Amino acid sequence: MAELTEELSLVKAEEPAVAGTDGKAKAQPKPAAPSAAQPKTAATSPLDVPTGTPTVIVDDLHIIYRVYGAASDAEKGNAVNALTRILRRQGRPQMKEVHAVKGVSFVAYHGDAIGIVGRNGSGKSTLLRAIAGLLPPHAGAVYTDGQPSLLGVNAALMRELTGERNIVLGCYAMGMTPAEVKDKYQEIVDFSGIDEFVQLPMSTYSSGMGARLRFAISSAKTHDVLLIDEALATGDREFRKKSEQRIRKIREEAGTVFLVAHDLRVIEETCNRVIWLHKGKIKMDGDPKEVLAAYNKG
């Protein structure tokens, strides 16, 4: 916590003032520094190496799910056990807690594209939802500069509406003006590759078409923090290539991207940093090639 406090104080410290032409004091701009995270193991925190302007600070984050009815085989939710509890005047089955994220801490910076890898159940999607503000921390905190956007949340598509209406509503949901929507409409259609299907209801789309349209809508606007969970797993090779180029463009425009994908090739070619989660904890954080090599061995 002391390291986080020091990091925040360095970021928020005012620069020396200089006199402007109008006689008023103006803040000296900070020189931008390239983002280059050094490889970290679980024993070393990435908070030790500030490299630029932070966009996301995760401080000792814990996320706990509470699940009812799964305490034991005798208490599982079936008709016989339910009737037995009624006759015995027993309450609902014992609650079970699932500790999905355990004390995760890191700092993300402007221009970072951070890949998050780990086995199923390691807490990857839970971490993204916590950064997006969709899951309240059980302990710790998440600080963000700007509004995080989880892919598919701001561009939630409605199956009853056409692709055209979904594009318009999705863009409005992200705060775009009518003029911006008109300017981006054809680009979104072309990028998603749905072509003439844009005039048909979403219920006629395949799952891959829907995923491509979500990505096209969500990435049409430059986000402060864009969170992508397995969106690049769908689509053909050409679409994945376009998606990787779009992520690089977002990075160049000073955004921050978090990417969860099981395709490690996409992670290595797209991201400048990788966080390896294992059983809810950070096992390694650093250069993609080094972290992915260790992850493959592990």
Side-chain angles (χ1 to χ4, degrees):
M1 190 62 192
E3 295 173 345
L4 178 67
T5 303
E6 181 180 355
E7 173 76 12
L8 289 172
S9 64
L10 290 173
V11 172
K12 296 180 179 179
E14 295 184 357
E15 294 294 322
V18 296
T21 57
D22 55 0
K24 296 181 180 180
K26 295 184 179 179
Q28 190 93 8
K30 291 183 179 180
S35 175
Q38 297 297 323
K40 301 289 173 184
T41 61
T44 309
S45 170
L47 292 174
D48 298 333
V49 189
T51 58
T53 304
T55 54
V56 176
I57 298 178
V58 178
D59 176 28
D60 194 24
L61 179 66
H62 293 261
I63 300 292
I64 296 178
Y65 291 107
R66 290 177 172 85
V67 182
Y68 293 91
S72 66
D73 291 338
E75 294 179 330
K76 286 185 177 179
N78 56 54
V80 175
N81 289 336
L83 179 59
T84 301
R85 290 196 300 272
I86 292 174
L87 295 177
R88 295 179 179 177
R89 296 183 179 181
Q90 294 177 337
R92 67 188 303 172
Q94 181 181 351
M95 179 188 69
K96 180 180 180 180
E97 290 189 343
V98 178
H99 203 160
V101 176
K102 307 173 183 177
V104 169
S105 297
F106 65 87
V107 178
Y109 301 92
H110 275 290
D112 270 347
I114 302 176
I116 301 179
V117 299
R119 308 302 180 192
N120 290 333
S122 60
K124 304 185 298 297
S125 297
T126 300
L127 177 59
L128 289 196
R129 292 175 63 84
I131 295 174
L134 301 177
L135 289 177
H138 179 79
V142 177
Y143 306 96
T144 61
D145 179 16
Q147 178 62 46
S149 300
L150 180 61
L151 182 63
V153 174
N154 283 340
L157 305 185
M158 302 179 66
R159 291 177 55 81
E160 299 79 12
L161 300 181
T162 64
E164 179 182 9
R165 295 305 303 164
N166 274 296
I167 291 173
V168 173
L169 294 177
C171 290
Y172 283 158
M174 294 188 298
M176 297 173 66
T177 65
E180 290 174 330
V181 175
K182 183 178 180 181
D183 182 59
K184 291 288 186 178
Y185 174 81
Q186 192 58 46
E187 177 186 330
I188 293 172
V189 175
D190 294 340
F191 188 89
S192 64
I194 60 175
D195 300 325
E196 67 274 7
F197 283 89
V198 72
Q199 301 297 336
L200 298 179
M202 280 288 300
S203 57
T204 65
Y205 290 15
S206 67
S207 59
M209 291 171 64
R212 296 201 308 268
L213 185 56
R214 285 187 178 89
F215 182 86
I217 295 173
S218 296
S219 60
K221 178 183 177 183
T222 300
H223 300 272
D224 298 318
V225 179
L226 180 60
L227 311 164
I228 305 172
D229 191 355
E230 287 295 344
L232 304 186
T234 59
D236 54 22
R237 181 177 180 180
E238 181 181 355
F239 178 76
R240 289 196 298 270
K241 185 176 180 180
K242 291 195 299 183
S243 301
E244 294 167 12
Q245 293 172 349
R246 178 64 62 87
I247 291 175
R248 292 189 183 97
K249 181 180 178 182
I250 293 173
R251 286 179 54 195
E252 291 170 359
E253 295 175 353
T256 301
V257 179
F258 287 86
L259 174 62
V260 169
H262 287 290
D263 188 343
L264 301 185
R265 181 191 59 81
V266 173
I267 294 285
E268 183 174 356
E269 294 181 0
T270 305
C271 301
N272 66 309
R273 176 180 172 189
V274 173
I275 294 176
W276 175 9
L277 285 182
H278 181 67
K279 295 183 178 180
K281 297 181 179 180
I282 293 181
K283 189 167 185 179
M284 195 171 180
D285 176 4
D287 179 77
K289 291 185 178 180
E290 295 183 19
V291 176
L292 293 178
Y295 175 69
N296 287 326
K297 291 180 181 179

